[in-house]
Amino acid sequence: MNLLKLFLVLVFGWVLAVQVSAGGIGTYVFVPHNSNLMIASGSAGSVALTHNSQTYDRIQTHIRRLSSAQRITRAADDPAGLAVAEKMNASLRQLKREVMNAHDYRNFLNYKEAVIAENIGHIQRLRELAMRAAGGIFSTSDRQLLQAEVEQLLRQIDMNAKSSSFNKKTVVPGLTVEALGLNGFTVVVAPASKIGRLDEVHRRLIDLRTRSGLQSSTLQLEIDGKQHYMLNLQDSESKIRDLDMAEALLDFSKDMVLYQTQTGLILHSR
């Protein structure tokens, strides 16, 4: 018996238990090192071992699921459920990307609106200067001083059209002084006649800003709707894939007790 036991230890690994009867080795249970295999003697022990092996497999499944917090960790766990969950997951990834794209474009629109708003401020200031120059108390030299500020404002409008960019994309390339019909604008000569032109430009810029704001609002509604759909879809996918931790822990505890009981029966069977 001692030679057999030594052989099992050296060749296979760990001997869980050995009972010796008067005639030699009676009932024994052998577990090879780092293996799920168990070897037991006797017909009663073999029957108990079968049940014990099934229980051990369930315990391994419990451990795998508890460690991942998922009910489905491989296709064999629930093939149909996995197929549905994977389709939902693909839809979720697509929705997340669409929402991120919508956020990016909404940021672009917000920046565009800010640039237009700045140009509106410049036009309003130009109108004030034109009205002031048309007040009747300014000489030509006085109006030339006002014209210096006018030219600075016009340069700023062109600078906004050229330099205002979002991720290297020009935001308002069409809002140049020439495109707005203000090329050569001056308050030195006949400033009162220029006010109507500024009003036209002012209305045009307000229309552009309003349209940009409307696009931004529409995008926000789209983002809110998709996020709400994502939450519902995520909840549905979670119910299919995720593990009920309380139930899983209870099943794990029950199978552990059963496994220990069955192992005891194997050890004591003859």
mmCIF file of all heavy atoms in Angstrom, residues 214-263:
data_model
loop_
_atom_site.group_PDB
_atom_site.id
_atom_site.type_symbol
_atom_site.label_atom_id
_atom_site.label_comp_id
_atom_site.label_asym_id
_atom_site.label_seq_id
_atom_site.Cartn_x
_atom_site.Cartn_y
_atom_site.Cartn_z
ATOM 1 N N LEU A 214 -31.285 76.698 -34.247
ATOM 2 C CA LEU A 214 -32.331 75.699 -34.486
ATOM 3 C C LEU A 214 -31.724 74.325 -34.735
ATOM 4 O O LEU A 214 -32.223 73.313 -34.221
ATOM 5 C CB LEU A 214 -33.186 76.131 -35.681
ATOM 6 C CG LEU A 214 -34.346 75.203 -36.061
ATOM 7 C CD1 LEU A 214 -35.328 75.075 -34.899
ATOM 8 C CD2 LEU A 214 -35.055 75.721 -37.309
ATOM 9 N N GLN A 215 -30.652 74.276 -35.513
ATOM 10 C CA GLN A 215 -29.961 73.003 -35.742
ATOM 11 C C GLN A 215 -29.437 72.417 -34.435
ATOM 12 O O GLN A 215 -29.535 71.209 -34.197
ATOM 13 C CB GLN A 215 -28.799 73.203 -36.715
ATOM 14 C CG GLN A 215 -29.184 73.300 -38.170
ATOM 15 C CD GLN A 215 -27.958 73.394 -39.058
ATOM 16 O OE1 GLN A 215 -27.325 74.441 -39.159
ATOM 17 N NE2 GLN A 215 -27.606 72.296 -39.692
ATOM 18 N N SER A 216 -28.876 73.275 -33.609
ATOM 19 C CA SER A 216 -28.336 72.818 -32.324
ATOM 20 C C SER A 216 -29.431 72.260 -31.427
ATOM 21 O O SER A 216 -29.267 71.217 -30.792
ATOM 22 C CB SER A 216 -27.613 73.974 -31.629
ATOM 23 O OG SER A 216 -27.073 73.571 -30.399
ATOM 24 N N SER A 217 -30.571 72.934 -31.389
ATOM 25 C CA SER A 217 -31.698 72.463 -30.575
ATOM 26 C C SER A 217 -32.232 71.135 -31.082
ATOM 27 O O SER A 217 -32.557 70.230 -30.305
ATOM 28 C CB SER A 217 -32.814 73.514 -30.575
ATOM 29 O OG SER A 217 -32.374 74.716 -29.991
ATOM 30 N N THR A 218 -32.324 71.001 -32.412
ATOM 31 C CA THR A 218 -32.800 69.746 -33.005
ATOM 32 C C THR A 218 -31.857 68.601 -32.681
ATOM 33 O O THR A 218 -32.288 67.486 -32.357
ATOM 34 C CB THR A 218 -32.933 69.898 -34.525
ATOM 35 O OG1 THR A 218 -33.820 70.976 -34.824
ATOM 36 C CG2 THR A 218 -33.473 68.624 -35.149
ATOM 37 N N LEU A 219 -30.553 68.876 -32.749
ATOM 38 C CA LEU A 219 -29.566 67.849 -32.409
ATOM 39 C C LEU A 219 -29.678 67.430 -30.954
ATOM 40 O O LEU A 219 -29.543 66.243 -30.627
ATOM 41 C CB LEU A 219 -28.152 68.367 -32.689
ATOM 42 C CG LEU A 219 -27.598 68.157 -34.095
ATOM 43 C CD1 LEU A 219 -26.229 68.799 -34.218
ATOM 44 C CD2 LEU A 219 -27.518 66.683 -34.440
ATOM 45 N N GLN A 220 -29.928 68.385 -30.062
ATOM 46 C CA GLN A 220 -30.054 68.051 -28.648
ATOM 47 C C GLN A 220 -31.259 67.149 -28.405
ATOM 48 O O GLN A 220 -31.192 66.207 -27.607
ATOM 49 C CB GLN A 220 -30.180 69.326 -27.810
ATOM 50 C CG GLN A 220 -30.170 69.074 -26.314
ATOM 51 C CD GLN A 220 -28.904 68.375 -25.851
ATOM 52 O OE1 GLN A 220 -27.797 68.844 -26.130
ATOM 53 N NE2 GLN A 220 -29.037 67.256 -25.157
ATOM 54 N N LEU A 221 -32.365 67.405 -29.109
ATOM 55 C CA LEU A 221 -33.534 66.531 -28.998
ATOM 56 C C LEU A 221 -33.203 65.121 -29.494
ATOM 57 O O LEU A 221 -33.612 64.121 -28.894
ATOM 58 C CB LEU A 221 -34.703 67.113 -29.797
ATOM 59 C CG LEU A 221 -35.339 68.397 -29.253
ATOM 60 C CD1 LEU A 221 -36.392 68.920 -30.222
ATOM 61 C CD2 LEU A 221 -35.963 68.155 -27.882
ATOM 62 N N GLU A 222 -32.442 65.056 -30.588
ATOM 63 C CA GLU A 222 -32.032 63.756 -31.127
ATOM 64 C C GLU A 222 -31.122 63.029 -30.144
ATOM 65 O O GLU A 222 -31.257 61.816 -29.931
ATOM 66 C CB GLU A 222 -31.312 63.965 -32.458
ATOM 67 C CG GLU A 222 -30.832 62.682 -33.108
ATOM 68 C CD GLU A 222 -30.084 62.940 -34.402
ATOM 69 O OE1 GLU A 222 -30.289 64.005 -35.009
ATOM 70 O OE2 GLU A 222 -29.280 62.069 -34.805
ATOM 71 N N ILE A 223 -30.201 63.762 -29.534
ATOM 72 C CA ILE A 223 -29.290 63.160 -28.551
ATOM 73 C C ILE A 223 -30.071 62.632 -27.353
ATOM 74 O O ILE A 223 -29.839 61.509 -26.888
ATOM 75 C CB ILE A 223 -28.242 64.191 -28.105
ATOM 76 C CG1 ILE A 223 -27.261 64.482 -29.235
ATOM 77 C CG2 ILE A 223 -27.478 63.694 -26.882
ATOM 78 C CD1 ILE A 223 -26.342 65.657 -28.966
ATOM 79 N N ASP A 224 -31.007 63.431 -26.838
ATOM 80 C CA ASP A 224 -31.807 63.010 -25.685
ATOM 81 C C ASP A 224 -32.602 61.755 -26.000
ATOM 82 O O ASP A 224 -32.694 60.825 -25.180
ATOM 83 C CB ASP A 224 -32.749 64.131 -25.258
ATOM 84 C CG ASP A 224 -32.005 65.334 -24.674
ATOM 85 O OD1 ASP A 224 -30.833 65.160 -24.287
ATOM 86 O OD2 ASP A 224 -32.586 66.426 -24.624
ATOM 87 N N GLY A 225 -33.193 61.701 -27.204
ATOM 88 C CA GLY A 225 -33.980 60.530 -27.594
ATOM 89 C C GLY A 225 -33.123 59.282 -27.701
ATOM 90 O O GLY A 225 -33.513 58.206 -27.223
ATOM 91 N N LYS A 226 -31.945 59.406 -28.297
ATOM 92 C CA LYS A 226 -31.075 58.239 -28.452
ATOM 93 C C LYS A 226 -30.522 57.776 -27.107
ATOM 94 O O LYS A 226 -30.365 56.575 -26.876
ATOM 95 C CB LYS A 226 -29.931 58.570 -29.412
ATOM 96 C CG LYS A 226 -30.376 58.650 -30.866
ATOM 97 C CD LYS A 226 -29.219 58.853 -31.814
ATOM 98 C CE LYS A 226 -29.699 58.837 -33.261
ATOM 99 N NZ LYS A 226 -28.607 59.013 -34.232
ATOM 100 N N GLN A 227 -30.226 58.716 -26.218
ATOM 101 C CA GLN A 227 -29.739 58.327 -24.896
ATOM 102 C C GLN A 227 -30.816 57.589 -24.107
ATOM 103 O O GLN A 227 -30.525 56.627 -23.389
ATOM 104 C CB GLN A 227 -29.260 59.557 -24.141
ATOM 105 C CG GLN A 227 -27.932 60.104 -24.640
ATOM 106 C CD GLN A 227 -27.468 61.326 -23.893
ATOM 107 O OE1 GLN A 227 -28.281 62.088 -23.358
ATOM 108 N NE2 GLN A 227 -26.170 61.551 -23.852
ATOM 109 N N HIS A 228 -32.061 58.031 -24.238
ATOM 110 C CA HIS A 228 -33.163 57.334 -23.567
ATOM 111 C C HIS A 228 -33.319 55.928 -24.134
ATOM 112 O O HIS A 228 -33.509 54.955 -23.386
ATOM 113 C CB HIS A 228 -34.453 58.135 -23.751
ATOM 114 C CG HIS A 228 -35.648 57.526 -23.079
ATOM 115 N ND1 HIS A 228 -35.782 57.488 -21.697
ATOM 116 C CD2 HIS A 228 -36.755 56.916 -23.582
ATOM 117 C CE1 HIS A 228 -36.923 56.886 -21.384
ATOM 118 N NE2 HIS A 228 -37.525 56.530 -22.508
ATOM 119 N N TYR A 229 -33.223 55.795 -25.455
ATOM 120 C CA TYR A 229 -33.307 54.481 -26.091
ATOM 121 C C TYR A 229 -32.141 53.598 -25.657
ATOM 122 O O TYR A 229 -32.299 52.393 -25.425
ATOM 123 C CB TYR A 229 -33.320 54.659 -27.604
ATOM 124 C CG TYR A 229 -33.388 53.368 -28.382
ATOM 125 C CD1 TYR A 229 -34.319 52.380 -28.074
ATOM 126 C CD2 TYR A 229 -32.513 53.128 -29.439
ATOM 127 C CE1 TYR A 229 -34.380 51.196 -28.790
ATOM 128 C CE2 TYR A 229 -32.555 51.953 -30.159
ATOM 129 C CZ TYR A 229 -33.491 50.990 -29.828
ATOM 130 O OH TYR A 229 -33.540 49.819 -30.527
ATOM 131 N N MET A 230 -30.944 54.197 -25.533
ATOM 132 C CA MET A 230 -29.774 53.445 -25.089
ATOM 133 C C MET A 230 -29.971 52.878 -23.695
ATOM 134 O O MET A 230 -29.599 51.728 -23.416
ATOM 135 C CB MET A 230 -28.537 54.340 -25.115
ATOM 136 C CG MET A 230 -27.947 54.559 -26.489
ATOM 137 S SD MET A 230 -26.652 55.833 -26.495
ATOM 138 C CE MET A 230 -25.560 55.229 -25.217
ATOM 139 N N LEU A 231 -30.553 53.670 -22.794
ATOM 140 C CA LEU A 231 -30.789 53.190 -21.433
ATOM 141 C C LEU A 231 -31.724 51.983 -21.427
ATOM 142 O O LEU A 231 -31.486 50.990 -20.731
ATOM 143 C CB LEU A 231 -31.368 54.319 -20.578
ATOM 144 C CG LEU A 231 -30.404 55.445 -20.183
ATOM 145 C CD1 LEU A 231 -31.161 56.554 -19.465
ATOM 146 C CD2 LEU A 231 -29.289 54.916 -19.296
ATOM 147 N N ASN A 232 -32.802 52.067 -22.216
ATOM 148 C CA ASN A 232 -33.752 50.947 -22.281
ATOM 149 C C ASN A 232 -33.104 49.713 -22.904
ATOM 150 O O ASN A 232 -33.316 48.578 -22.439
ATOM 151 C CB ASN A 232 -34.985 51.353 -23.090
ATOM 152 C CG ASN A 232 -35.826 52.396 -22.377
ATOM 153 O OD1 ASN A 232 -35.825 52.468 -21.146
ATOM 154 N ND2 ASN A 232 -36.535 53.219 -23.126
ATOM 155 N N LEU A 233 -32.331 49.934 -23.967
ATOM 156 C CA LEU A 233 -31.674 48.805 -24.629
ATOM 157 C C LEU A 233 -30.620 48.180 -23.720
ATOM 158 O O LEU A 233 -30.473 46.954 -23.663
ATOM 159 C CB LEU A 233 -31.040 49.283 -25.941
ATOM 160 C CG LEU A 233 -30.549 48.200 -26.894
ATOM 161 C CD1 LEU A 233 -31.697 47.300 -27.320
ATOM 162 C CD2 LEU A 233 -29.902 48.834 -28.122
ATOM 163 N N GLN A 234 -29.879 49.023 -22.993
ATOM 164 C CA GLN A 234 -28.870 48.522 -22.058
ATOM 165 C C GLN A 234 -29.521 47.704 -20.948
ATOM 166 O O GLN A 234 -28.994 46.656 -20.530
ATOM 167 C CB GLN A 234 -28.104 49.690 -21.447
ATOM 168 C CG GLN A 234 -27.005 49.287 -20.481
ATOM 169 C CD GLN A 234 -25.844 48.609 -21.178
ATOM 170 O OE1 GLN A 234 -25.201 49.203 -22.033
ATOM 171 N NE2 GLN A 234 -25.581 47.369 -20.818
ATOM 172 N N ASP A 235 -30.673 48.154 -20.478
ATOM 173 C CA ASP A 235 -31.388 47.422 -19.438
ATOM 174 C C ASP A 235 -31.842 46.062 -19.952
ATOM 175 O O ASP A 235 -31.718 45.048 -19.251
ATOM 176 C CB ASP A 235 -32.584 48.257 -18.968
ATOM 177 C CG ASP A 235 -33.363 47.567 -17.858
ATOM 178 O OD1 ASP A 235 -32.798 47.361 -16.766
ATOM 179 O OD2 ASP A 235 -34.544 47.222 -18.071
ATOM 180 N N SER A 236 -32.341 46.029 -21.187
ATOM 181 C CA SER A 236 -32.791 44.759 -21.765
ATOM 182 C C SER A 236 -31.616 43.807 -21.969
ATOM 183 O O SER A 236 -31.706 42.608 -21.672
ATOM 184 C CB SER A 236 -33.495 45.018 -23.101
ATOM 185 O OG SER A 236 -34.632 45.830 -22.926
ATOM 186 N N GLU A 237 -30.494 44.328 -22.477
ATOM 187 C CA GLU A 237 -29.315 43.500 -22.689
ATOM 188 C C GLU A 237 -28.757 42.980 -21.374
ATOM 189 O O GLU A 237 -28.315 41.835 -21.270
ATOM 190 C CB GLU A 237 -28.258 44.328 -23.435
ATOM 191 C CG GLU A 237 -27.124 43.509 -24.024
ATOM 192 C CD GLU A 237 -25.897 43.496 -23.146
ATOM 193 O OE1 GLU A 237 -25.880 44.219 -22.135
ATOM 194 O OE2 GLU A 237 -24.950 42.745 -23.451
ATOM 195 N N SER A 238 -28.829 43.814 -20.339
ATOM 196 C CA SER A 238 -28.323 43.418 -19.028
ATOM 197 C C SER A 238 -29.154 42.276 -18.434
ATOM 198 O O SER A 238 -28.605 41.367 -17.808
ATOM 199 C CB SER A 238 -28.345 44.629 -18.088
ATOM 200 O OG SER A 238 -27.939 44.268 -16.792
ATOM 201 N N LYS A 239 -30.468 42.319 -18.652
ATOM 202 C CA LYS A 239 -31.332 41.262 -18.121
ATOM 203 C C LYS A 239 -31.040 39.923 -18.769
ATOM 204 O O LYS A 239 -31.252 38.879 -18.163
ATOM 205 C CB LYS A 239 -32.792 41.646 -18.324
ATOM 206 C CG LYS A 239 -33.255 42.789 -17.425
ATOM 207 C CD LYS A 239 -34.697 43.166 -17.691
ATOM 208 C CE LYS A 239 -35.138 44.298 -16.774
ATOM 209 N NZ LYS A 239 -36.528 44.750 -17.051
ATOM 210 N N ILE A 240 -30.570 39.940 -20.006
ATOM 211 C CA ILE A 240 -30.241 38.694 -20.697
ATOM 212 C C ILE A 240 -28.861 38.188 -20.290
ATOM 213 O O ILE A 240 -28.672 37.012 -19.998
ATOM 214 C CB ILE A 240 -30.283 38.903 -22.228
ATOM 215 C CG1 ILE A 240 -31.707 39.226 -22.675
ATOM 216 C CG2 ILE A 240 -29.770 37.667 -22.961
ATOM 217 C CD1 ILE A 240 -31.817 39.590 -24.140
ATOM 218 N N ARG A 241 -27.886 39.083 -20.240
ATOM 219 C CA ARG A 241 -26.491 38.679 -20.082
ATOM 220 C C ARG A 241 -26.013 38.661 -18.632
ATOM 221 O O ARG A 241 -25.251 37.772 -18.239
ATOM 222 C CB ARG A 241 -25.581 39.612 -20.887
ATOM 223 C CG ARG A 241 -24.160 39.118 -21.019
ATOM 224 C CD ARG A 241 -23.277 40.202 -21.622
ATOM 225 N NE ARG A 241 -23.656 40.556 -22.958
ATOM 226 C CZ ARG A 241 -23.165 39.973 -24.058
ATOM 227 N NH1 ARG A 241 -22.289 39.004 -23.935
ATOM 228 N NH2 ARG A 241 -23.533 40.364 -25.256
ATOM 229 N N ASP A 242 -26.444 39.622 -17.829
ATOM 230 C CA ASP A 242 -25.868 39.781 -16.495
ATOM 231 C C ASP A 242 -26.411 38.752 -15.510
ATOM 232 O O ASP A 242 -27.497 38.189 -15.687
ATOM 233 C CB ASP A 242 -26.129 41.188 -15.962
ATOM 234 C CG ASP A 242 -25.325 42.236 -16.722
ATOM 235 O OD1 ASP A 242 -24.466 41.838 -17.524
ATOM 236 O OD2 ASP A 242 -25.583 43.430 -16.533
ATOM 237 N N LEU A 243 -25.654 38.558 -14.454
ATOM 238 C CA LEU A 243 -25.948 37.538 -13.449
ATOM 239 C C LEU A 243 -26.756 38.116 -12.297
ATOM 240 O O LEU A 243 -26.505 39.245 -11.861
ATOM 241 C CB LEU A 243 -24.633 36.964 -12.918
ATOM 242 C CG LEU A 243 -24.698 35.778 -11.968
ATOM 243 C CD1 LEU A 243 -25.232 34.547 -12.685
ATOM 244 C CD2 LEU A 243 -23.318 35.498 -11.394
ATOM 245 N N ASP A 244 -27.717 37.334 -11.809
ATOM 246 C CA ASP A 244 -28.411 37.675 -10.569
ATOM 247 C C ASP A 244 -27.503 37.221 -9.419
ATOM 248 O O ASP A 244 -27.435 36.043 -9.089
ATOM 249 C CB ASP A 244 -29.764 36.961 -10.516
ATOM 250 C CG ASP A 244 -30.596 37.361 -9.301
ATOM 251 O OD1 ASP A 244 -30.007 37.763 -8.271
ATOM 252 O OD2 ASP A 244 -31.835 37.274 -9.372
ATOM 253 N N MET A 245 -26.783 38.172 -8.834
ATOM 254 C CA MET A 245 -25.744 37.839 -7.871
ATOM 255 C C MET A 245 -26.300 37.114 -6.646
ATOM 256 O O MET A 245 -25.690 36.153 -6.156
ATOM 257 C CB MET A 245 -25.014 39.116 -7.441
ATOM 258 C CG MET A 245 -24.269 39.800 -8.568
ATOM 259 S SD MET A 245 -22.929 38.798 -9.251
ATOM 260 C CE MET A 245 -21.757 38.815 -7.892
ATOM 261 N N ALA A 246 -27.439 37.556 -6.131
ATOM 262 C CA ALA A 246 -28.011 36.931 -4.938
ATOM 263 C C ALA A 246 -28.356 35.472 -5.206
ATOM 264 O O ALA A 246 -28.018 34.569 -4.425
ATOM 265 C CB ALA A 246 -29.248 37.706 -4.482
ATOM 266 N N GLU A 247 -29.016 35.215 -6.328
ATOM 267 C CA GLU A 247 -29.388 33.850 -6.678
ATOM 268 C C GLU A 247 -28.153 32.997 -6.956
ATOM 269 O O GLU A 247 -28.081 31.830 -6.542
ATOM 270 C CB GLU A 247 -30.300 33.873 -7.905
ATOM 271 C CG GLU A 247 -30.783 32.496 -8.338
ATOM 272 C CD GLU A 247 -31.691 32.551 -9.548
ATOM 273 O OE1 GLU A 247 -32.016 33.670 -10.006
ATOM 274 O OE2 GLU A 247 -32.089 31.471 -10.039
ATOM 275 N N ALA A 248 -27.156 33.575 -7.633
ATOM 276 C CA ALA A 248 -25.947 32.832 -7.957
ATOM 277 C C ALA A 248 -25.164 32.462 -6.703
ATOM 278 O O ALA A 248 -24.634 31.348 -6.587
ATOM 279 C CB ALA A 248 -25.069 33.656 -8.895
ATOM 280 N N LEU A 249 -25.077 33.374 -5.750
ATOM 281 C CA LEU A 249 -24.366 33.084 -4.501
ATOM 282 C C LEU A 249 -25.080 31.986 -3.709
ATOM 283 O O LEU A 249 -24.433 31.127 -3.091
ATOM 284 C CB LEU A 249 -24.251 34.349 -3.659
ATOM 285 C CG LEU A 249 -23.216 35.373 -4.151
ATOM 286 C CD1 LEU A 249 -23.373 36.690 -3.394
ATOM 287 C CD2 LEU A 249 -21.802 34.830 -3.979
ATOM 288 N N LEU A 250 -26.403 32.031 -3.727
ATOM 289 C CA LEU A 250 -27.176 30.994 -3.036
ATOM 290 C C LEU A 250 -26.937 29.626 -3.670
ATOM 291 O O LEU A 250 -26.684 28.637 -2.970
ATOM 292 C CB LEU A 250 -28.658 31.352 -3.069
ATOM 293 C CG LEU A 250 -29.610 30.338 -2.410
ATOM 294 C CD1 LEU A 250 -29.278 30.188 -0.931
ATOM 295 C CD2 LEU A 250 -31.060 30.766 -2.595
ATOM 296 N N ASP A 251 -26.975 29.554 -5.021
ATOM 297 C CA ASP A 251 -26.741 28.283 -5.713
ATOM 298 C C ASP A 251 -25.316 27.798 -5.481
ATOM 299 O O ASP A 251 -25.072 26.597 -5.315
ATOM 300 C CB ASP A 251 -26.998 28.457 -7.211
ATOM 301 C CG ASP A 251 -28.462 28.667 -7.535
ATOM 302 O OD1 ASP A 251 -29.307 28.313 -6.682
ATOM 303 O OD2 ASP A 251 -28.760 29.195 -8.628
ATOM 304 N N PHE A 252 -24.375 28.736 -5.469
ATOM 305 C CA PHE A 252 -22.977 28.371 -5.219
ATOM 306 C C PHE A 252 -22.811 27.778 -3.817
ATOM 307 O O PHE A 252 -22.140 26.748 -3.639
ATOM 308 C CB PHE A 252 -22.096 29.609 -5.381
ATOM 309 C CG PHE A 252 -20.657 29.384 -5.030
ATOM 310 C CD1 PHE A 252 -19.840 28.611 -5.846
ATOM 311 C CD2 PHE A 252 -20.113 29.939 -3.882
ATOM 312 C CE1 PHE A 252 -18.498 28.407 -5.527
ATOM 313 C CE2 PHE A 252 -18.776 29.740 -3.560
ATOM 314 C CZ PHE A 252 -17.970 28.970 -4.380
ATOM 315 N N SER A 253 -23.425 28.386 -2.826
ATOM 316 C CA SER A 253 -23.335 27.883 -1.445
ATOM 317 C C SER A 253 -23.967 26.506 -1.325
ATOM 318 O O SER A 253 -23.412 25.605 -0.674
ATOM 319 C CB SER A 253 -24.019 28.865 -0.493
ATOM 320 O OG SER A 253 -23.407 30.131 -0.530
ATOM 321 N N LYS A 254 -25.111 26.294 -1.957
ATOM 322 C CA LYS A 254 -25.790 24.996 -1.907
ATOM 323 C C LYS A 254 -24.931 23.904 -2.537
ATOM 324 O O LYS A 254 -24.793 22.809 -1.986
ATOM 325 C CB LYS A 254 -27.144 25.086 -2.618
ATOM 326 C CG LYS A 254 -28.187 25.890 -1.864
ATOM 327 C CD LYS A 254 -29.354 26.288 -2.752
ATOM 328 C CE LYS A 254 -30.022 25.099 -3.394
ATOM 329 N NZ LYS A 254 -31.194 25.524 -4.212
ATOM 330 N N ASP A 255 -24.337 24.201 -3.697
ATOM 331 C CA ASP A 255 -23.513 23.194 -4.366
ATOM 332 C C ASP A 255 -22.219 22.928 -3.604
ATOM 333 O O ASP A 255 -21.699 21.800 -3.631
ATOM 334 C CB ASP A 255 -23.197 23.644 -5.797
ATOM 335 C CG ASP A 255 -24.366 23.405 -6.743
ATOM 336 O OD1 ASP A 255 -25.164 22.497 -6.464
ATOM 337 O OD2 ASP A 255 -24.480 24.125 -7.747
ATOM 338 N N MET A 256 -21.686 23.947 -2.918
ATOM 339 C CA MET A 256 -20.495 23.713 -2.104
ATOM 340 C C MET A 256 -20.787 22.759 -0.952
ATOM 341 O O MET A 256 -20.005 21.848 -0.662
ATOM 342 C CB MET A 256 -19.968 25.059 -1.570
ATOM 343 C CG MET A 256 -19.169 25.856 -2.584
ATOM 344 S SD MET A 256 -17.662 25.029 -3.131
ATOM 345 C CE MET A 256 -16.738 24.959 -1.587
ATOM 346 N N VAL A 257 -21.921 22.957 -0.280
ATOM 347 C CA VAL A 257 -22.322 22.059 0.808
ATOM 348 C C VAL A 257 -22.543 20.652 0.264
ATOM 349 O O VAL A 257 -22.107 19.653 0.861
ATOM 350 C CB VAL A 257 -23.589 22.594 1.501
ATOM 351 C CG1 VAL A 257 -24.120 21.570 2.502
ATOM 352 C CG2 VAL A 257 -23.298 23.913 2.197
ATOM 353 N N LEU A 258 -23.222 20.559 -0.891
ATOM 354 C CA LEU A 258 -23.481 19.259 -1.501
ATOM 355 C C LEU A 258 -22.180 18.566 -1.887
ATOM 356 O O LEU A 258 -22.009 17.361 -1.691
ATOM 357 C CB LEU A 258 -24.370 19.448 -2.724
ATOM 358 C CG LEU A 258 -24.823 18.183 -3.471
ATOM 359 C CD1 LEU A 258 -25.619 17.272 -2.527
ATOM 360 C CD2 LEU A 258 -25.663 18.546 -4.689
ATOM 361 N N TYR A 259 -21.230 19.333 -2.427
ATOM 362 C CA TYR A 259 -19.948 18.776 -2.834
ATOM 363 C C TYR A 259 -19.188 18.218 -1.626
ATOM 364 O O TYR A 259 -18.605 17.124 -1.683
ATOM 365 C CB TYR A 259 -19.121 19.851 -3.536
ATOM 366 C CG TYR A 259 -17.777 19.387 -4.017
ATOM 367 C CD1 TYR A 259 -17.665 18.628 -5.169
ATOM 368 C CD2 TYR A 259 -16.625 19.713 -3.302
ATOM 369 C CE1 TYR A 259 -16.414 18.200 -5.610
ATOM 370 C CE2 TYR A 259 -15.379 19.282 -3.744
ATOM 371 C CZ TYR A 259 -15.282 18.524 -4.893
ATOM 372 O OH TYR A 259 -14.055 18.098 -5.330
ATOM 373 N N GLN A 260 -19.173 18.965 -0.542
ATOM 374 C CA GLN A 260 -18.487 18.503 0.660
ATOM 375 C C GLN A 260 -19.138 17.251 1.222
ATOM 376 O O GLN A 260 -18.458 16.319 1.684
ATOM 377 C CB GLN A 260 -18.480 19.621 1.702
ATOM 378 C CG GLN A 260 -17.625 20.821 1.296
ATOM 379 C CD GLN A 260 -17.833 22.012 2.197
ATOM 380 O OE1 GLN A 260 -18.674 21.979 3.096
ATOM 381 N NE2 GLN A 260 -17.080 23.081 1.951
ATOM 382 N N THR A 261 -20.469 17.221 1.159
ATOM 383 C CA THR A 261 -21.192 16.031 1.651
ATOM 384 C C THR A 261 -20.867 14.809 0.809
ATOM 385 O O THR A 261 -20.601 13.722 1.328
ATOM 386 C CB THR A 261 -22.702 16.301 1.637
ATOM 387 O OG1 THR A 261 -22.985 17.443 2.438
ATOM 388 C CG2 THR A 261 -23.470 15.103 2.174
ATOM 389 N N GLN A 262 -20.893 14.981 -0.525
ATOM 390 C CA GLN A 262 -20.608 13.862 -1.418
ATOM 391 C C GLN A 262 -19.168 13.383 -1.267
ATOM 392 O O GLN A 262 -18.883 12.190 -1.337
ATOM 393 C CB GLN A 262 -20.886 14.287 -2.864
ATOM 394 C CG GLN A 262 -22.362 14.483 -3.145
ATOM 395 C CD GLN A 262 -22.609 15.145 -4.491
ATOM 396 O OE1 GLN A 262 -21.703 15.695 -5.091
ATOM 397 N NE2 GLN A 262 -23.854 15.077 -4.961
ATOM 398 N N THR A 263 -18.248 14.331 -1.071
ATOM 399 C CA THR A 263 -16.849 13.941 -0.854
ATOM 400 C C THR A 263 -16.722 13.107 0.415
ATOM 401 O O THR A 263 -15.979 12.115 0.467
ATOM 402 C CB THR A 263 -15.962 15.194 -0.749
ATOM 403 O OG1 THR A 263 -16.078 15.960 -1.953
ATOM 404 C CG2 THR A 263 -14.500 14.806 -0.531
#
